[in-house]
Amino acid sequence: MNTVLSARKRPRSLAQELVEALTERIREGALAPGHKLPTEAAVMAEFGVSRTVVREAISKLQAAGLVETRHGVGTFVVGPGEASFRITPEQLETLRDVIAVLELRIGLETEAAALAAVRRTEENLREMRSALDAFAAAVAEGRDAVGPDFGFHLEIARATQNGHFAELLSSLGAKIIPRARLGNETSAELQAYLLRTNGEHQSIYDAILRQDPEAARAAMRTHLANSRERRRRAAGEKN
């Protein structure tokens, strides 16, 4: 039976409803380990949601370790012992852990941004724009912006047209996006940080839009390096 989610809900809550629906199927065995998930188009048709909602839901399922995407094949339910390389929550418990992941992302995502600038499609640009708008709305409303933040970076990986980039980033999941708050910051300081992050995202997008690979590479490196330095200062590191 087809299930149409309420069109009045925000995209973020629609994605969460879709996550819950698919998670229930996985837990009940309707989608067993090793089974391939329906295509994006099939999920969109069944649940009456947009491609953006489907992709955000799949990202959340990947972050939870319930599914993984295999390049050129599809997205599959993950069973015990089947997961590919991933970073567990235990590996993100300290600021030093988060800094280590940011160093990995700098190596991966700066080149992805350059390739995306050369190879992006109009659909890629629309998805990036949608993620940027969702991030800005979340910040303005005081909501968690991790979902659209990860969605923006994941769409850049997809825009490389090299499935390995998106597959690796998907396997890492949304948990690699550092939480914005760092303990003793004031609300004003946090808001300033999120607005600056939004501006950095916009610079990356603009370079990809212009199809300028060097500018895209530099903008992504600046963005991730700024995030790393912010956490280094919080951890009291100098190197």
Side-chain angles (χ1 to χ4, degrees):
M1 180 181 295
N2 286 0
T3 304
V4 178
L5 304 183
S6 172
R8 293 184 179 180
K9 293 183 176 291
R10 297 181 186 277
R12 178 176 163 76
S13 63
L14 285 177
Q16 187 57 42
E17 286 189 16
L18 181 54
V19 167
E20 291 169 0
L22 294 175
T23 298
E24 183 177 357
R25 292 183 186 182
I26 292 171
R27 289 174 177 167
E28 290 178 346
L31 291 170
H35 282 198
K36 185 178 180 180
L37 292 188
T39 64
E40 283 185 357
V43 176
M44 289 165 62
E46 177 179 355
F47 291 91
V49 295
S50 69
R51 178 173 282 103
T52 298
V53 169
V54 174
R55 288 185 173 180
E56 182 175 348
I58 296 300
S59 294
K60 289 177 180 293
L61 291 171
Q62 290 166 335
L66 294 175
V67 302
E68 67 176 1
T69 299
R70 300 173 190 168
H71 174 48
V73 182
T75 300
F76 294 81
V77 178
V78 175
E82 293 182 10
S84 59
F85 169 74
R86 64 180 65 254
I87 294 174
T88 65
E90 292 75 22
Q91 292 172 297
L92 288 168
E93 289 182 346
T94 70
L95 280 173
R96 289 195 179 193
D97 293 333
V98 174
I99 290 166
V101 172
L102 283 166
E103 289 175 348
L104 171 64
R105 291 182 61 198
I106 288 171
L108 172 69
E109 294 189 61
T110 53
E111 191 59 29
L115 289 173
V118 176
R119 301 174 181 174
R120 92 292 189 278
T121 65
E122 291 302 314
E123 181 181 356
N124 292 139
L125 290 174
R126 284 193 296 271
E127 294 293 340
M128 288 178 212
R129 183 72 262 167
S130 177
L132 287 176
D133 292 344
F135 183 96
V139 173
E141 297 169 13
R143 295 186 285 108
D144 187 347
V146 169
D149 193 338
F150 181 67
F152 176 69
H153 286 270
L154 182 58
E155 192 59 36
I156 290 172
R158 290 190 179 114
T160 66
Q161 313 308 327
N162 177 337
H164 296 304
F165 279 94
E167 184 175 349
L168 179 55
L169 202 60
S170 294
S171 72
L172 298 180
K175 60 184 174 295
I176 66 168
I177 302 295
R179 291 289 176 178
R181 187 173 294 281
L182 291 178
N184 58 358
E185 288 179 314
T186 66
S187 295
E189 288 171 334
L190 176 59
Q191 184 76 0
Y193 164 74
L194 291 173
L195 290 173
R196 186 164 59 250
T197 296
N198 195 38
E200 291 170 359
H201 283 166
Q202 185 66 50
S203 294
I204 298 166
Y205 174 82
D206 289 344
I208 293 173
L209 178 65
R210 296 194 310 271
Q211 294 192 295
D212 186 336
E214 291 307 318
R217 182 184 283 116
M220 180 65 80
R221 177 172 290 277
T222 296
H223 169 54
L224 295 175
N226 283 346
S227 185
R228 179 187 60 185
E229 293 310 308
R230 178 171 178 257
R231 282 153 183 86
R232 278 183 171 174
R233 289 194 300 271
E237 291 190 5
K238 296 182 179 179
N239 297 315

